[in-house]
Amino acid sequence: MGLKHLISIRDIGKKEILNILEESKKMEDVLNSKKTLKIMEGKILATLFYEPSTRTRLSFETAMKRLGGSVIGFTDIRNTSVMKGESFRDTIRVVSDYGDIIAIRHPCEGAARLASEYSSVPVINAGDGSNQHPTQTLLDLYTIKREIGRIDGITVAFLGDLKYGRTVHSLCYALSLFKDVEIRFISPEELRIPREIVCDLLERGVKFQEMETIDLEGVDVVYVTRIQRERFPDPNEYERVKGKYKLTLEHVKDRDLIIMHPLPRVDEIDPRIDDLPQAKYFQQSFYGVPVRMAILKMLLDQK
Ligand code: CP
């Protein structure tokens, strides 16, 4: 694939994305057949999580173990030498001498890119601030492909926190690589999609609309996001918008669409929706394992 690190979805093109989706299906088949792969025997994944995570870290660790490899890492910097004043550069340099590949999550935008400059082994961005979450994007695309059967020609509605939601930013860009995709952004005024993403879509000729009312007519995928308290510089701003957008049974029942959410969720989806066939968010988080198996294989294969 010619890629050393996976920092931004912008680092890869449509061809590479389709290759990863194809490899992910093979990995899903392996998981479903309960076979064990040994292709990562002797390889170590280092998971450096400077910010909380459930799905991304655990699915990366599951992926590496399902491939026969092992895992080291930290989930709480209070137990690391960062607390003694060690620089980011030194931490990454040392860990890249221990592991064969690094998955890093960090609250600062650009941290994963910086890590890739200090590391002697491949670095995967597992989420950097409000910026990018490329492996989530790949599993989101995989979910759409598996559950709808195509990505070209679909209409996707993004709902909720479109300003700080890094999964939305990454996925918008990736969708713009596919043919005839239409996007609907539904959010309060304060949480509108950033203007640079709008400029990207305009440049690429992607049809999109922005609105404040939940209208899912003609939508194939509704992608719900949490209003992220931790990203708001001003807590009063969070208080003003929290709970404003909630997907209810009335919005989705009898509609031919799928409901996705990167999770974790708080109260933005009525829990009664969980039992509808349209609800795909738990399936989506499961798909994180085969997709991350494919990503690990691709990045380590070329070394
Ligand atoms: N979707 C996602 O990134 O979840 P976590 O924060 O639990 O990793």
Side-chain angles (χ1 to χ4, degrees), residues 49 51-59 105 126-127 133 136 139 166-167 223 226 261-264 285 292:
F49 277 64
E51 214 186 36
S53 164
T54 298
R55 276 145 295 275
T56 309
R57 184 177 65 81
L58 293 178
S59 62
R105 171 169 289 189
H133 194 349
Q136 177 72 43
L139 81 86
R166 60 191 171 201
T167 62
Y223 190 101
R226 175 174 64 96
H261 191 309
L263 303 179
S285 67
R292 290 182 171 115

